[in-house]
Amino acid sequence: MEGVTYTLGRITIAFKRSDGDADGAFSVAESLEPPGAGAGLHRHPSFRETFIVCEGRYEFEVDGERFTLGAGETLVVPLGASHVLKSVGSETGRLLAISTPGGLFEAFIRDVSTAMVDTGRPTDAPAVDFRAIAARHGIEFLA
C-alpha cells in the first residue's frame, strides 16, 4: 500500500491524501481489513465520511439502519451520525474512506498507532486507552 501507513491490530490504513495536501479539504485513506475486522459503534461531529468498497463485503450500520455493500458500492455517513463497519467477506476487504475536512481522522489514527508502538504492541490488540485518544479528536465510541 502506498501512502503514510499505519497498522492497528489486524487493520492496515494508508493515507493517500492528507491534511498536508493542498487545502486540507479532505483526506483519503485505504484500509485492508481481514474478515471480522472493522470499527465499533462511534460518531464524530467534526468530520463526515464517505466509504467506497474496493474489494470484499462490508456491513455498515448508520443511525440504526443496516447496509451490506460489495465492491464498487459507496456509502456516505452524515456528519455526527453513529456508525459501525465490519469486513464480512471470506477474503480481506479493501475500503477507501474519504474524510471531510482532511486531517482529523488521520491525526486520530496517527496518535493511536504511536501509542500502540510505544507500548510495544503495534500489531496486537491495543494496550492503550484508544477511547481517551478518540475523545481528544472529537470521536466518541458508543459501544
Side-chain angles (χ1 to χ4, degrees), residues 25-29 47-52 96-101 105:
F26 63 94
S27 295
V28 177
F47 63 95
R48 172 178 295 109
E49 289 178 303
T50 300
F51 295 100
I52 304 165
L96 287 180
I98 302 168
S99 302
T100 308
F105 178 56

Side-chain angles (χ1 to χ4, degrees), residues 1-8 11-19 21 25-33 47-55 58 60 75 85 93-110:
M1 292 175 55
E2 293 181 23
V4 179
T5 304
Y6 302 94
T7 300
L8 302 174
I11 299 172
T12 302
I13 301 173
F15 285 85
K16 307 296 188 178
R17 183 183 193 283
S18 66
D19 60 340
D21 296 330
F26 63 94
S27 295
V28 177
E30 175 185 15
S31 63
L32 296 177
E33 300 167 344
F47 63 95
R48 172 178 295 109
E49 289 178 303
T50 300
F51 295 100
I52 304 165
V53 177
C54 300
E55 297 173 12
Y58 283 83
F60 291 85
L75 178 70
L85 66 100
R94 187 166 62 93
L95 188 68
L96 287 180
I98 302 168
S99 302
T100 308
L104 301 174
F105 178 56
E106 183 173 7
F108 164 64
I109 295 298
R110 180 178 49 244

Side-chain angles (χ1 to χ4, degrees), residues 65-122:
E65 189 173 352
R66 292 185 181 269
F67 304 90
T68 301
L69 278 68
E73 295 184 290
T74 301
L75 178 70
V76 177
V77 176
L79 194 65
S82 62
H83 57 288
V84 62
L85 66 100
K86 184 176 181 181
S87 175
V88 296
S90 58
E91 71 280 350
T92 295
R94 187 166 62 93
L95 188 68
L96 287 180
I98 302 168
S99 302
T100 308
L104 301 174
F105 178 56
E106 183 173 7
F108 164 64
I109 295 298
R110 180 178 49 244
D111 286 357
V112 169
S113 178
T114 299
M116 290 173 71
V117 168
D118 289 348
T119 64
R121 299 173 59 124

